[in-house]
Amino acid sequence: MLYPQDAYPPALADGLEPYPAPGCRYDWPPGPVSDEALGEQHAAIFSEFMERGRVSLRNLHRLLDGLTPDVVIAYWHFLDSIQHHLLYDEGRTTAAYALADGFVGELCDRLAPERVVVVSDHGMRLPGPGDNGKLVQVGGLTLLEMQWGERHYQSSGVHSDRLL
């Protein structure tokens, strides 16, 4: 991931686009979640993640414009986040994968394909005894409900075997 900018020397960081701060909530109030609330929050999360991905790619290009590295390791966490928050929405998840595919294509064009290595993130297991989570139904969706302190989260509890 290409943030925080203060991790880079000032000469590099000054040329980077600010990474978008969170603009929506990722947690939920305690109690049942309606289909409508879930849809609205997931739309906001999707929009935010996609913009963060685009900013990350633009910043990677800016860094590469000023450097000639032997190795580039870029991690775009938005795909992982989309998997956790939006997997049930095949259209949005497909759009996120298309965006990431474009990123890899741009890097291959810029660096040569033999210099680009693509790796994936972790998988996700269902909660077991002693875990801080349980599967819940919201409308027709199976979600993983978790509690950390006062924060209440609901994310994808089942992963697609077609999109991964």
Side-chain angles (χ1 to χ4, degrees):
M1 186 45 56
L2 300 171
Y3 74 99
Q5 276 86 352
D6 62 7
Y8 298 98
L12 291 176
D14 290 344
L16 298 180
E17 183 177 342
Y19 192 73
C24 59
R25 292 185 62 115
Y26 297 91
D27 62 329
W28 299 86
V33 174
S34 71
D35 286 343
E36 183 179 337
L38 184 74
E40 289 173 6
Q41 186 160 336
H42 281 189
I45 290 169
F46 175 74
S47 176
E48 185 168 296
F49 287 161
M50 293 294 277
E51 180 56 23
R52 286 178 172 185
R54 290 181 189 102
V55 167
S56 293
L57 180 65
R58 289 190 296 265
N59 281 341
L60 177 59
H61 282 292
R62 287 177 177 146
L63 289 169
L64 291 174
D65 286 343
L67 303 170
T68 339
D70 292 324
V71 174
V72 174
I73 300 171
Y75 171 64
W76 289 298
H77 86 287
F78 77 99
L79 282 179
D80 178 50
S81 298
I82 284 173
Q83 287 288 321
H84 285 288
H85 289 279
L86 305 171
L87 186 64
Y88 76 92
D89 188 323
E90 189 169 326
R92 286 182 177 147
T93 305
T94 299
Y97 274 84
L99 184 64
D101 185 62
F103 291 178
V104 173
E106 286 182 36
L107 286 175
C108 286
D109 290 345
R110 184 174 187 139
L111 301 174
E114 63 274 7
R115 295 186 62 204
V116 176
V117 177
V118 177
V119 296
S120 70
D121 196 358
H122 60 85
M124 188 170 174
R125 63 182 177 80
L126 296 178
D131 285 345
N132 183 26
K134 64 181 178 182
L135 293 176
V136 297
Q137 290 296 126
V138 176
L141 305 175
T142 302
L143 301 176
L144 177 61
E145 181 177 88
M146 297 164 285
Q147 184 88 25
W148 284 298
E150 297 300 315
R151 296 188 177 262
H152 175 79
Y153 295 89
Q154 292 194 4
S155 64
S156 296
V158 177
H159 276 58
S160 166
D161 58 2
R162 280 199 333 242
L163 294 174
L164 294 176

